[in-house]
Every structure is written in C-alpha cells, then in structure tokens.
Amino acid sequence: MVRSIGADHVIDYTQEDFTHHEHRYDLILDNVMNHSLSDCRRALTADGTLILNNGTGGGRWIGTLGRMGLAFVLSRFIRQRVRLAGLPSNEDLPVLKERIEAGEMRPVVDRTYPLSQTAEALRYLGSGHARGKVIIAV
Ligand SMILES: NC(=O)c1ccc[n+]([C@@H]2O[C@H](COP(=O)([O-])OP(=O)(O)OC[C@H]3O[C@@H](n4cnc5c(N)ncnc54)[C@H](OP(=O)(O)O)[C@@H]3O)[C@@H](O)[C@H]2O)c1
C-alpha cells in the first residue's frame, strides 16, 4: 500500500528499526511516536527536521503539552528542528482537493462503515492498524 502511493523505499517496522540504521534523514514525520526523542534525533542529519504528529495511545513517549514544550526548548539549543504537525484547517481543504484532482495525491480509504456502525468503526481505528482513512457514510 505504501509503495502504491509513491514511496521509493519502505522499511517494515516489524523487521527493522529505522533509528538503528546508518542512514540519516533530512526530514522525519513521526506518525506513531513510539521512539524516544533521542533515537529520532540520531536518525536525523545534523540540520534535519523532526515533525511530531499528534500521536495518542500506548507506548508514545510524552503527552502533547510536554512535546510542545520540549520542541520549543530544544529548537533553541540544537541545529536540528523539532516541530509539531499543524492541525488541519479549512484553508487546507481546497489545496488538498486540488492535489487530489490533479492526481498528485491519492487518499487511502481502508474501510467504510454505515452511520449505525460508528462504534465498530471507532473500535477498528483504535486497534492501531487502520490503513489510511476509515469513513462513516452518512
Ligand atoms: N485519523 C485522524 O483523523 C487524525 C487526526 C489528527 C491526528 N492524527 C494522528 O495521525 C497519526 C496516524 O493516525 P491514524 O488515524 O492513521 O491511525 P494510527 O492507528 O495511528 O495508524 C495506523 C497505521 O500505523 C501503522 N503502524 C502502527 N504501528 C506502527 C509502527 N510502530 N511503525 C510504523 N507504522 C505503524 C499501522 O500499520 P500496521 O497495520 O502494518 O501495523 C497502520 O497502517 C496518529 O499519530 C494520530 O494521532 C490522526
């Protein structure tokens, strides 16, 4: 699935830990947040950027407020940048629509549930293994 949306190289997290590779990355978007900040920084180039998504759930290393504070403080002392992913806004939607219509982005829809099965949809999302979006059809 990840290759089908444009990835050139894929690391299977069940087999390898990307923070233990020799490879250094200019940009890491951490969607899962199950590595320590120091592990992520080690995988970055000297002036690379780490973007933290708003991870939730078990194994994630620090609460949202703590992450914001840490990102703010660290950014003043190190060359690497630590940022929080912005919240989606209404202004983003037309940009996303244009990119999707131009074929530059392909949304991945895993499952679609009827409104009456919203609880089941949320349980599935909460499993931590939904691939892309879970849709409630209204
Ligand atoms: N969904 C939203 O509307 C929304 C809104 C704001 C922020 N976010 C944030 O965006 C991030 C992604 O959310 P999500 O809704 O897509 O659900 P999610 O449950 O965080 O992501 C599920 C996906 O992550 C993969 N995954 C699980 N553990 C992994 C690991 N250790 N390393 C790499 N991949 C792993 C799963 O693949 P496998 O099945 O192969 O394990 C599955 O494809 C989260 O941090 C969430 O808090 C989501």
Side-chain angles (χ1 to χ4, degrees):
M1 184 278 277
V2 176
R3 285 196 184 91
S4 79
I5 56 173
D8 293 320
H9 180 64
V10 177
I11 299 168
D12 178 351
Y13 76 87
T14 65
Q15 306 293 321
E16 293 175 66
D17 182 339
F18 77 95
T19 64
H20 292 162
H21 277 199
E22 288 302 305
H23 196 87
R24 296 289 172 268
Y25 299 93
D26 295 318
L27 176 74
I28 297 175
L29 169 60
D30 189 350
N31 257 340
V32 181
M33 303 200 46
N34 62 344
H35 287 91
S36 68
L37 185 59
S38 58
D39 280 351
C40 287
R41 287 188 54 209
R42 195 177 55 237
L44 279 178
T45 54
D47 55 358
T49 301
L50 171 64
I51 301 180
L52 305 172
N53 204 348
N54 184 26
T56 53
R60 287 159 179 174
W61 44 268
I62 191 168
T64 301
L65 281 177
R67 278 196 297 273
M68 289 170 70
L70 200 54
F72 179 79
V73 172
L74 268 177
S75 296
R76 268 145 182 74
F77 296 104
I78 58 176
R79 273 173 63 206
Q80 293 169 330
R81 280 160 294 187
V82 183
R83 298 275 185 273
L84 291 171
L87 290 173
S89 70
N90 287 349
E91 290 76 46
D92 295 332
L93 291 177
V95 178
L96 292 176
K97 179 173 175 283
E98 273 169 32
R99 296 213 170 150
I100 290 167
E101 286 172 353
E104 293 166 4
M105 259 179 77
R106 191 168 70 77
V108 175
V109 175
D110 183 347
R111 294 187 186 175
T112 301
Y113 290 84
L115 186 59
S116 59
Q117 288 177 20
T118 300
E120 180 54 35
L122 287 173
R123 264 193 295 277
Y124 179 56
L125 195 62
S127 75
H129 296 288
R131 297 185 168 188
K133 290 296 164 191
V134 173
I135 306 289
I136 307 291
V138 181

